[in-house]
Amino acid sequence: MSTKPVTGTEKRLTDRQDNWWIEPLFTVLSLGIFGLYAMWVAWNRQHYEFGPYISPFYSIPIPGVHARDLDWLAISPAFLVLWIPLGFRATCYYYRKAYYRAFFWDPPACAVPELRKSYGGERAFPFVLNNLHRYFWYLSIPVMIFLWYEAIKAFFFSDGFGIGVGSLIMLANVILLSYYTFSCHAWRHIAGGCLNCMSKHKTRYNLWQRITRINESHGFWAVISMFSVWFTDVYIRLCSMGTITDFRFF
Ligand code: FES
């Protein structure tokens, strides 16, 4: 950060002279556009599968039920799954920090003043719902299991086992989503919280240590996994529309 002093009677929002606004702007654009894209995909109800590939937005966490079996529903089957990852991300500690800063300027960055005059914390509606994060984590586990199932299925084509670009994209996506889900602060607390003496709980301590290692980069996993979900859907959509051809390695 530059230490150049403010001169004269010039009034500034902040004395910071670095590009502190880039991060909140990136958050507004990426979260805003992703949110709109997710809603559009859900309403669209088309081009969400190609061969053994299925968009993560349409991976329904109900055994034996495929999204296309639910075409008779008045609402898009995507909404049956979408509320879980959206609730999970909306209540995530990383995203809370990101959207409080970017959308509410609460505050937008360190040493930049906030807009509000009083502080109510997360005790009133709707922000009190952020306390449900741990429960969204529980709900995300079956979603992750189904995403892994769909990712493995992506290697089985109508003519047998094979590897396509889409198979690898779906696999990479579910790995990134697993890093995001299992680097969660709530999961870390479930594993190692409320213990007076870690040495008496070796298994939980070891698990807590492993989670802590990936938890340090939780913000990174949050962002990269959002883009991977986005990219996976776009890839499958473009293949399904015939815009691009899926390359098969064998
Ligand atoms: Fe981000 Fe739990 S804190 S997913």
Side-chain angles (χ1 to χ4, degrees):
M1 191 194 307
S2 165
T3 52
K4 199 174 130 201
V6 178
T7 54
T9 55
E10 189 182 357
K11 245 193 158 196
R12 292 175 186 277
L13 175 67
T14 173
D15 285 346
R16 282 184 68 166
Q17 292 178 36
D18 60 336
N19 295 325
W20 60 266
W21 48 270
I22 288 180
E23 193 181 326
L25 181 66
F26 170 78
T27 306
V28 166
L29 291 177
S30 57
L31 282 189
I33 297 172
F34 179 75
L36 292 174
Y37 181 82
M39 287 301 132
W40 175 78
V41 163
W43 285 111
N44 183 265
R45 300 180 76 156
Q46 290 178 337
H47 301 299
Y48 56 78
E49 59 177 333
F50 178 75
Y53 311 151
I54 183 159
S55 161
F57 289 102
Y58 282 82
S59 175
I60 310 295
I62 305 172
V65 176
H66 191 282
R68 91 175 86 81
D69 303 333
L70 301 170
D71 272 348
W72 53 271
L73 277 179
I75 58 155
S76 166
F79 287 117
L80 295 180
V81 61
L82 216 52
W83 64 277
I84 299 175
L86 282 185
F88 186 48
R89 286 190 186 250
T91 57
C92 161
Y93 293 15
Y94 166 76
Y95 281 105
R96 274 144 81 172
K97 181 190 89 174
Y99 66 71
Y100 283 154
R101 285 184 169 188
F103 287 90
F104 307 139
W105 276 44
D106 200 13
C110 295
V112 182
E114 53 217 359
L115 296 180
R116 61 173 164 71
K117 299 277 182 281
S118 62
Y119 180 63
E122 291 183 321
R123 288 171 298 167
F125 185 82
F127 300 116
V128 70
L129 296 178
N130 280 330
N131 293 305
L132 295 176
H133 184 63
R134 164 188 287 239
Y135 302 101
F136 276 111
W137 186 85
Y138 294 138
L139 289 168
S140 295
I141 300 308
V143 173
M144 283 307 306
I145 292 169
F146 277 83
L147 283 169
W148 269 103
Y149 171 70
E150 301 290 4
I152 292 165
K153 250 179 62 185
F155 289 86
F156 293 90
F157 296 80
S158 53
D159 56 351
F161 180 80
I163 300 178
V165 172
S167 322
L168 299 178
I169 290 175
M170 285 187 65
L171 181 64
N173 178 50
V174 78
I175 290 173
L176 293 173
L177 281 170
S178 300
Y179 268 100
Y180 172 56
T181 306
F182 294 104
S183 63
C184 170
H185 295 273
W187 166 227
R188 182 169 170 264
H189 180 74
I190 293 166
C194 302
L195 292 179
N196 287 331
C197 186
M198 282 285 202
S199 61
K200 289 193 182 140
H201 303 270
K202 283 271 192 293
T203 311
R204 286 184 65 183
Y205 179 56
N206 286 337
L207 181 61
W208 176 84
Q209 273 189 316
R210 281 166 209 271
I211 299 167
T212 300
R213 244 174 264 143
I214 55 171
N215 173 265
E216 284 164 8
S217 312
H218 186 60
F220 171 77
W221 301 119
V223 173
I224 201 87
S225 63
M226 181 184 78
F227 281 109
S228 79
V229 167
W230 204 340
F231 183 72
T232 306
D233 180 83
V234 169
Y235 182 82
I236 294 169
R237 188 165 296 277
L238 293 180
C239 288
S240 166
M241 290 164 70
T243 312
I244 57 172
T245 308
D246 180 51
F247 179 76
R248 281 272 301 270
F249 296 98
F250 70 89

